[in-house]
Amino acid sequence: MKPCYRKSYPQSISVFLFAIFFNSAVFALPREAAVPGGVALVPLDSSALQAPKVFYRKQQVMVHRHNEQWLAVVGIPLAAKPGTHNLLLKDSSTDESNAALKIPFTVHAKEYQSQYLTVTNKRHVNPDPMDLTRINKEQLEMQAAFENWRAEPRDLTGFNLPTKGPFSSPFGLRRFFNNEPRKPHSGLDIAAPEGTPATAPAPATVVATGHYFFNGNTVLLDHGQGLITMYCHLSEIHVKKGQAVEAGSTLGLVGKTGRATGPHLHWSVSLNNTRVDPMLFLDSGLVEDSSDDSAATKQ
């Protein structure tokens, strides 16, 4: 059964990853796209030897050193309005009171396409009261995982694709299920046959697993400093909470559990508890290969 998604990605997408050097380690940061659902790279006016604490919308933000300057790696919500936004920086080396300093940055406008899907299970469009009780409980569990913060820095390498296949539904789509509007698509869907391995794109720790009403069998990974990734609709889960995984470790198998119209992997990337476009974390060669697959696949 082929997933019945409308192909939305252009046939060629250029993704630029650049490296920064700190303590003899190489870090690759995501491509900057200061738009709703994107990532802003904001220089910080701080001379501190230790990483300053930075917050955006009350969530702590990833910080890395670049050319002897600290850089905030900020996830921007899909609901963010274009215009000036502010980070709050706490730097005890320059401010004895440790008061927060405002660091402005600009968010630019972006329009996302719409997608209309037909879902046969009506409860996956309009859940009944018992479903809503379950959904609320599950959302609290997943929210706790997305809010997880491990302060230790990690070697930021460009992510690998978690499975091989065409990109069937891109991030940010304004979605309609059975013609009813729902929240925008908060991840990237990769079409793949049922049973295809889903793998970790980079080293991480399993922070949660579960079988959820909408997401089906799901794994969440913690990569450090508020960078969390999620893998949904699996037919099987092969890892446990607290387990350390390396890049390429099998997390489970692609399936169609939860709200899915066909077998595929839904992959979400979250920074500072904000879902952002996974494409920004991919090497350009990986993007172009999957874009070619998408162009050759009728969806």
Side-chain angles (χ1 to χ4, degrees), residues 103-234:
I103 308 294
F105 69 99
T106 301
V107 174
H108 304 281
K110 179 172 181 176
E111 288 292 328
Y112 289 95
Q113 298 180 20
S114 297
Q115 182 185 52
Y116 293 81
L117 296 173
T118 299
V119 177
T120 56
N121 185 343
K122 306 303 182 183
R123 286 167 54 198
H124 279 156
V125 180
N126 295 298
D128 64 28
M130 290 185 62
D131 294 333
L132 290 173
T133 299
R134 174 186 170 185
I135 290 167
N136 290 336
K137 179 177 180 294
E138 294 171 352
Q139 287 178 338
L140 291 174
E141 292 178 4
M142 288 184 284
Q143 185 66 19
F146 282 124
E147 291 176 351
N148 202 53
W149 178 269
R150 289 192 297 120
E152 62 268 26
R154 64 172 295 274
D155 288 354
L156 280 175
T157 57
F159 278 178
N160 296 319
L161 280 168
T163 197
K164 178 66 175 177
F167 299 155
S168 52
S169 287
F171 174 87
L173 286 174
R174 295 174 295 176
R175 307 191 90 175
F176 296 80
F177 290 100
N178 300 351
N179 291 318
E180 296 188 29
R182 291 296 183 265
K183 291 181 179 180
H185 192 217
S186 61
L188 169 66
D189 286 353
I190 305 173
E194 193 162 2
T196 303
T199 59
T205 300
V206 179
V207 70
T209 67
H211 179 81
Y212 302 128
F213 184 81
F214 289 124
N215 293 348
N217 289 325
T218 298
V219 173
L220 291 101
L221 300 181
D222 180 0
H223 302 273
Q225 289 205 60
L227 178 58
I228 309 292
T229 56
M230 182 172 70
Y231 310 82
C232 304
H233 308 304
L234 301 171

Side-chain angles (χ1 to χ4, degrees), residues 1 4 7 24 125 144 157 193 204 214 225 227 256 259 262 280:
M1 176 180 178
C4 56
K7 180 176 74 65
S24 301
V125 180
T157 57
F214 289 124
Q225 289 205 60
L227 178 58
K256 54 182 179 180
R259 185 170 65 187
L280 300 176

